[in-house]
């Protein structure tokens, strides 16, 4: 009788352990999916910040190194925005060619969603700097 009770207790413990692992996996998978969705919809600034944060974490920078690193990347960001701004007409032409192929295949409902997505994407693009003609 004691042997059967001990086996039942061990079996129950194993079952609880397996259920715990399964629940932990499901919760972490769901959180990873939510995090990925949030990052996929992020604009340039969010992506830049996430990249800088991850880079500094991986580099294990001291506070002084972090200050210099962020300053260098901030100065570089302005240069990057100017370069993208000068390329903006060419980038817009590429997006127009993509739109010309995609828009005809979309239903009116899909087209409304597509227009919102495109407006969000374009709002995050750097503007063409004045005098960059």
């Amino acid at each position: 009788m004691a042997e059967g009770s001990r086996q039942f207790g061990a079996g129950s413990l194993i079952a609880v352990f397996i259920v715990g692992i399964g629940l932990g996996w499901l919760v972490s998978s769901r959180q990873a999916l939510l995090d990925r969705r949030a990052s996929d919809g992020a604009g340039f600034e969010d992506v830049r910040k996430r990249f800088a944060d991850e880079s500094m974490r991986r580099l294990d920078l001291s506070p002084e190194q972090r200050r210099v690193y962020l300053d260098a990347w901030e100065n570089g960001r302005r240069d990057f925005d100017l370069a993208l701004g000068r390329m903006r007409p060419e980038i817009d032409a590429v997006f127009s060619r993509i739109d010309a192929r995609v828009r005809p295949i979309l239903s009116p409902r899909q087209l409304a969603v597509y227009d919102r997505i495109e407006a969000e994407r374009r709002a995050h693009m750097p503007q063409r700097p004045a005098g960059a003609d």
Side-chain angles (χ1 to χ4, degrees):
M1 183 79 168
E3 181 70 26
S5 177
R6 196 173 304 150
Q7 287 178 346
F8 179 74
S12 296
L13 183 61
I14 291 171
V16 167
F17 182 71
I18 290 172
V19 168
I21 289 174
L23 285 174
W25 178 78
L26 285 173
V27 169
S28 64
S29 295
R30 183 176 185 282
Q31 187 60 46
L33 178 63
L34 293 174
D35 291 347
R36 175 55 51 202
R37 284 182 183 165
S39 68
D40 286 348
F44 274 171
E45 290 306 313
D46 293 332
V47 171
R48 284 180 182 148
K49 182 180 181 336
R50 195 171 53 249
F51 175 77
D53 290 345
E54 177 65 13
S55 297
M56 288 185 295
R57 183 193 65 77
R58 291 175 61 192
L59 290 168
D60 192 27
L61 300 176
S62 71
E64 176 60 20
Q65 288 173 316
R66 289 176 67 89
R67 187 190 62 74
V68 171
Y69 183 91
L70 288 172
D71 187 54
W73 275 97
E74 179 61 26
N75 290 332
R77 182 191 66 78
R78 287 190 292 268
D79 295 340
F80 180 72
D81 284 350
L82 286 172
L84 272 179
R86 287 189 297 271
M87 292 173 27
R88 184 70 190 260
E90 188 175 341
I91 291 170
D92 286 341
V94 170
F95 286 141
S96 293
R97 289 193 301 270
I98 293 169
D99 283 352
R101 291 185 64 198
V102 171
R103 292 174 91 63
I105 66 163
L106 300 176
S107 70
R109 182 192 62 77
Q110 291 169 324
L111 192 55
V113 173
Y114 180 77
D115 286 340
R116 281 194 304 274
I117 292 169
E118 286 300 295
E120 290 169 9
R121 182 188 50 74
R122 290 172 195 251
H124 293 296
M125 290 287 295
Q127 296 299 314
R128 185 179 171 111
D133 297 333

